[in-house]
């Protein structure tokens, strides 16, 4: 099966004044459609940088990043935005919902940008997603009226509403308590298994990692291992 | 687009205090602009109405008569022949009046004044009764020879009332001193600058003062059915009058009394006609309009600059506060142009609503000022061309003010909006604060 993400010998350096700080050093990775992958590693290991490159919100200094069959280095800013809109869903650590929009409007937003569905179709699609993430009763609430877990559910619904092939989640449980975090990961896993959407998420948390099909370990900007995660109980013990 | 308006509206409501401050400033500037334009238009319309009645027609055929090369008088001889040429050539004509022109000394028992003296046929001056508001006496009394219409200020300076007799003193075309006694028939309210140096006597009285025959006048004042035809008619007269054998002066866009020096320097003698329009004849008061217009625009410019800085700052703050939001929206697939549009819509909504409110407020202020009949000091009356402050707001000025302020403020907001759109999603998402 053709990988949905293919990264070959990717380097990413940030300039800090006159100093170049390497964030990724020769990373290569293939992710096949339908996988549920965790990227693990200590702070500063390059997890977020790797997700940013896969998510087409940043460009590599060297190397090739291919997402959904398209080499991101060859795409214009407009094409990258379009690729993000139609192919990738994002879930952020801090939820990043638009505060002045309601839950419904936040989830509807990507559909408005896509301009593929009519208003009744959009409404149906949004309500379906809100029901799937268990937040349909809060459709008219503002994000500020929701708990952290509820906000992240909204973020999950927003990430999935445009039917992306790939969902990227940067530490989606970091701002949640462990029980709520577990629920969010369970929800993501459920959507992955049911719809076949590929999920790549970064985390520190061994218990969260245990839900993944595979864990990519990053250290100092390099992949140091790709492994099957430990079982839930073992992971809980490690935690 | 609906979503962009929704975001804009809710952001404006969320930051209520900031919105009110900035909106208030925009509304204030718009209100000021509407009031200033109302004042300018009030003066302009007063000048147009007063001047084109009191001292000039819409198109004038006047001229100078020179007995010797160095001595000219504002006289048109054989004016009836000139009129015979004019009438068939100007189908746009509504009516025509003839006015004698002169410069004389008014002498009363207690004072004297140098003024312009106009010889009129009051029965043939339909616009006169509209503009001149008689306070004492009657305009009809001006049909009697040996009468005079004074304005309030002149009457006060001369210390006369209706019924008093004063003396007009001047020199005839041949240089002989002459006087005529006239009875004050009416005293009218001041009409700004125009009433400072204009008086009106029956045409026959003026002819008597200057020893002119009945076929002489000062100017033929043409009033057209549509004032927009003035340039066309003026140009046509400049062709037909020389073709009919009359000598014509070169175009000199100034009032007739400003031309004496130039005419006296020229070597010709006899009669030369001069075709002018109303704007030429009141060019000497146009500077007041120009000065007020410039002053207004400088003032509005300064205020707009302050507003511009305010808007820039406010949007900067908004963008800084919403950097993460911009990054998120860019990440989930919002194109740069839509980010730009999002901030522009916000600025446009605020500007348009504030400008509309300001314009309505300005309209209200103008109506209140007009209703209050504010009496202007005498020096201000010179510029206002009337005793009371009068503001005339045109719908086009109202609309123009709203569009100008909205356009400027929205254009200013392009800079921060453009920079917001240029933010890289990755930079914006990881921005702290």
């Amino acid at each position: 099966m053709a990988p949905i993400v293919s990264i070959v010998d990717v380097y990413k350096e940030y300039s800090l004044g006159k100093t170049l700080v390497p964030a990724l050093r020769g990373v290569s990775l293939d992710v096949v459609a339908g996988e549920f992958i965790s990227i693990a590693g200590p702070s500063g290991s390059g997890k977020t940088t790797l997700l940013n490159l896969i998510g087409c919100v940043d460009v590599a200094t060297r190397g090739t990043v291919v997402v959904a069959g398209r080499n991101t280095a060859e795409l214009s800013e407009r094409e990258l935005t379009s690729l993000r809109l139609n192919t990738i869903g994002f879930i952020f650590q801090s939820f990043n919902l638009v505060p002045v929009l309601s839950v419904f409007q936040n989830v509807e937003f990507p559909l408005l940008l896509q301009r593929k569905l009519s208003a009744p179709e959009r409404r149906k699609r949004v309500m379906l997603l809100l029901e799937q993430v268990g937040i349909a009763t809060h459709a008219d609430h503002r994000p500020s009226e929701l708990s952290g877990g509820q906000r992240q559910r909204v973020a999950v619904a927003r990430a999935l509403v445009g039917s992306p092939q790939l969902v990227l989640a940067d530490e989606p449980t970091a701002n949640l308590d462990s029980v709520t975090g577990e629920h969010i990961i369970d929800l993501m896993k459920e959507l992955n298994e049911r719809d076949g959407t590929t999920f790549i998420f970064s985390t520190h948390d061994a218990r969260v990692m245990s839900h993944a099909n595979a864990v990519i370990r990053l250290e100092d900007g390099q992949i140091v291992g790709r492994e099957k995660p430990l079982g839930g109980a073992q992971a809980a013990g490690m935690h | 687009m609906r979503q962009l308006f929704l975001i804009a509206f809710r952001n404006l409501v969320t930051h209520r205090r900031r919105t009110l401050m900035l909106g208030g400033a925009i509304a204030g500037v718009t209100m000021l602009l509407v009031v200033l334009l109302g004042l300018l238009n009030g003066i302009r319309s007063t000048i147009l109405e007063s001047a084109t009645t009191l001292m000039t027609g819409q198109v004038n055929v006047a001229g100078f008569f020179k007995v010797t090369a160095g001595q000219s008088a504002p006289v048109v001889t054989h004016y009836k022949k000139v009129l015979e040429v004019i009438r068939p050539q100007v189908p746009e004509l509504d009516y025509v009046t003839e006015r004698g022109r002169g410069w004389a000394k008014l002498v009363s028992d207690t004072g004297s004044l140098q003024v312009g003296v106009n010889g009129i046929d009051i029965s043939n001056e339909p616009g006169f009764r509209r503009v001149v508001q008689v306070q004492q006496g009657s305009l009809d009394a001006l049909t009697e020879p040996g009468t005079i219409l004074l304005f309030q200020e002149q009457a006060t300076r001369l210390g006369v009332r209706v019924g008093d007799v004063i003396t007009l003193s001047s020199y005839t075309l041949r240089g002989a001193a002459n006087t005529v006694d006239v009875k004050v028939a009416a005293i009218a309210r001041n009409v700004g600058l125009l009433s400072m140096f204009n008086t009106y006597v029956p045409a026959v009285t003026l002819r008597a003062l200057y020893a002119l025959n009945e076929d002489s006048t000062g100017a033929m004042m043409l009033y057209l059915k549509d004032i927009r035809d003035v340039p066309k008619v003026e140009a046509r007269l400049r062709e037909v009058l020389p073709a009919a054998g009359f000598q014509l002066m070169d175009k000199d866009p100034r009032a007739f009394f400003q031309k004496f020096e130039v005419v006296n320097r020229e070597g010709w003698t006899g009669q030369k006609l001069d075709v002018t329009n109303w704007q030429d004849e009141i060019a000497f008061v146009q500077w007041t309009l120009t000065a007020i217009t410039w002053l207004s625009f400088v003032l509005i410019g300064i205020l707009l600059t302050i507003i511009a800085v305010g808007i820039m700052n406010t949007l900067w703050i908004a963008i800084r506060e919403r950097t993460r939001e911009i990054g998120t929206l860019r990440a989930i697939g919002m194109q740069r142009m839509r980010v730009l549009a999002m901030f522009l819509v916000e600025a446009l909504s605020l500007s348009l609503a504030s400008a509309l409110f300001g314009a309505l407020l300005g309209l209200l202020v103008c109506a209140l000022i007009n209703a209050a009949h504010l009496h202007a000091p005498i020096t201000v009356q010179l510029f206002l061309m009337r005793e009371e402050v009068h503001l005339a707001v045109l719908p086009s000025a109202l609309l123009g003010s709203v569009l100008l302020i909205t356009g400027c403020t929205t254009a200013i907001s392009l800079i921060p909006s453009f920079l917001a759109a240029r933010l890289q999603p990755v930079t914006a998402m990881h921005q702290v604060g």
Side-chain angles (χ1 to χ4, degrees), chain A residues 18-80:
Chain A
K18 289 178 181 172
T19 316
L20 282 178
V21 180
L24 292 177
R25 296 185 295 169
V27 170
S28 294
L29 172 71
D30 278 347
V31 179
V32 177
E35 281 197 279
F36 196 74
I37 288 181
S38 168
I39 298 174
S43 293
S45 60
K47 302 189 294 295
T48 300
T49 304
L50 183 57
L51 282 178
N52 286 342
L53 295 182
I54 297 170
C56 307
V57 293
D58 205 355
V59 288
T61 311
R62 263 183 291 156
T64 310
V65 179
V66 178
V67 178
R70 306 189 71 182
N71 185 342
T72 59
E74 293 170 355
L75 299 179
S76 66
E77 174 65 40
R78 193 172 182 81
E79 288 168 329
L80 284 173

Side-chain angles (χ1 to χ4, degrees), chain A residues 77 84 92 100 105 115, chain B residues 6 10 328 330 338 429:
Chain A
E77 174 65 40
R84 289 197 297 270
F92 303 96
V100 295
Q105 288 159 343
R115 297 179 183 182
Chain B
L6 185 69
R10 289 197 177 157
T328 306
R330 292 278 292 119
R338 283 184 80 88
M429 280 190 304

Side-chain angles (χ1 to χ4, degrees), chain B residues 164-392:
Chain B
D164 290 348
V165 175
I166 55 176
T167 303
L168 277 174
S169 168
S170 188
Y171 291 90
T172 66
L173 283 184
R174 298 189 183 281
N178 195 17
T179 60
V180 169
D181 284 346
V182 289
K183 189 168 77 176
V184 179
I187 296 174
R189 288 177 75 170
N190 292 333
V191 194
L193 197 61
L194 299 180
S195 58
M196 294 294 284
F197 54 86
N198 273 308
T199 58
Y200 297 85
V201 297
V204 66
T205 305
L206 192 77
R207 286 194 187 102
L209 179 65
Y210 288 104
L212 297 172
N213 62 32
E214 270 198 11
D215 205 17
S216 299
T217 190
M220 283 149 282
M221 296 180 174
L222 278 61
Y223 293 88
L224 309 180
K225 291 165 195 152
D226 187 345
I227 197 168
R228 288 173 296 188
D229 289 332
V230 164
K232 199 167 61 180
V233 170
E234 189 186 349
R236 196 183 309 140
L237 288 176
R238 286 198 158 274
E239 285 176 13
V240 299
L241 288 170
F246 296 102
Q247 280 199 298
L248 208 62
M249 287 170 57
D250 292 336
K251 174 79 177 173
D252 181 359
R254 291 186 295 166
F256 80 94
F257 56 82
Q258 293 175 301
K259 297 177 184 173
F260 281 104
E261 203 180 326
V262 173
V263 171
N264 286 342
R265 274 205 305 267
E266 292 170 358
W268 55 273
T269 55
Q271 177 77 66
K272 267 195 179 184
L273 296 180
D274 188 19
V275 179
T276 59
N277 60 46
W278 66 273
Q279 285 169 310
D280 301 335
E281 294 294 332
I282 60 164
F284 66 103
V285 291
Q286 285 283 30
W287 71 269
T288 57
L289 273 180
T290 311
I292 296 171
T293 305
W294 276 104
L295 200 67
S296 306
F297 280 109
V298 167
L299 188 64
I300 293 296
I302 292 168
L303 291 172
L304 263 178
T305 309
I306 295 168
I307 293 292
V309 172
I311 285 186
M312 293 266 272
N313 271 335
T314 306
L315 275 179
W316 275 124
I317 294 166
I319 287 163
R320 185 148 182 83
E321 283 173 356
R322 291 163 62 189
T323 300
R324 185 188 289 270
E325 181 186 321
I326 296 165
T328 306
L329 294 175
R330 292 278 292 119
I332 66 174
M334 189 184 240
Q335 295 287 0
R336 281 180 171 164
M337 285 306 289
R338 283 184 80 88
V339 175
L340 180 79
M342 186 171 76
F343 281 94
L344 276 184
V345 161
E346 195 168 319
L348 177 72
S349 308
L350 175 64
S351 305
L352 186 62
S354 308
L356 277 172
F357 179 69
L360 290 177
L361 214 58
L363 202 60
L364 184 70
V365 169
C366 290
L368 287 175
I369 290 173
N370 285 341
H373 296 290
L374 291 178
H375 195 87
I378 191 77
T379 45
V380 179
Q381 284 180 32
L382 292 180
F383 301 103
L384 297 180
M385 299 287 169
R386 62 197 301 158
E387 283 187 319
E388 291 171 356
V389 179
H390 171 69
L391 302 149

